[in-house]
Amino acid sequence: MHHSFSRRGLLGVGAVGIVTGLALRQSQAQQSLLPTTPQCTDNDEPTPRQTEGPFFTPSSPERTNLIEEGMPGERVALAGYVLDRRCRPVAGALLDLWHCDAAGVYDNDGYRLRGHQFSDAQGRFVFETIVPGKYPGRTRHYHVKVQAPGRSILTTQLYFPGEPGNDSDGIFDPALLLDIPLDRGPNLGRYDFVLDLG
Ligand code: FE
């Protein structure tokens, strides 16, 4: 399993703290989860494109929190920057996230675990969601589309470090691994998207 997350917060009283933390307004969450300015290392290469897969649904609701009452799964804040290749923040970029539930099932009738938001003035975003389950043929992953205002759409996927299925997944790309710092309170998955804006 995704051993790199602390499981402590999911059990007993710790869960209360996590839920409270995730209830922070988006701007507060971004400020607490992300540094004020991005670290500009390794940003010269744009984020690789990946297949959309068969389960994208257009017109997802605009929201930052995909967690619903009673939804099983390990909570995670998926956060980062949208940057251009010169490490300049991209404000107002569309981020559309969709993924399967903890049992590996996509909601193809509605919008469970689907949502979009726009990066803030500093290029930051944060989704509050769960760790996706796995389904046959794929390692654990998120799907995401990122689009700077008026520009083309980057469709890609994000992966979990240390996931046993990564090596046997023909689509997996280590350039798309989340950074999961173990010293943070709420479970945090960091990824900075780098768009090739010319
Ligand atoms: Fe998928």
Side-chain angles (χ1 to χ4, degrees), residues 14 29 43 45 70 77 94 139 150:
N43 286 339
E45 288 302 315
L94 170 72
T139 191

Side-chain angles (χ1 to χ4, degrees), residues 52-55 98-100 106 135 138-139 141-143 157:
E52 175 180 286
F55 302 124
W98 75 102
H99 61 92
C100 65
Y106 286 87
Y135 56 91
R138 292 303 317 280
T139 191
H141 63 280
Y142 292 109
H143 294 269
Q157 303 185 29

Side-chain angles (χ1 to χ4, degrees), residues 152-173:
S152 61
I153 298 170
L154 168 71
T155 300
T156 193
Q157 303 185 29
L158 298 175
Y159 298 95
F160 290 79
E163 186 67 36
N166 286 347
D167 289 341
S168 55
D169 187 312
I171 303 176
F172 169 76
D173 183 339

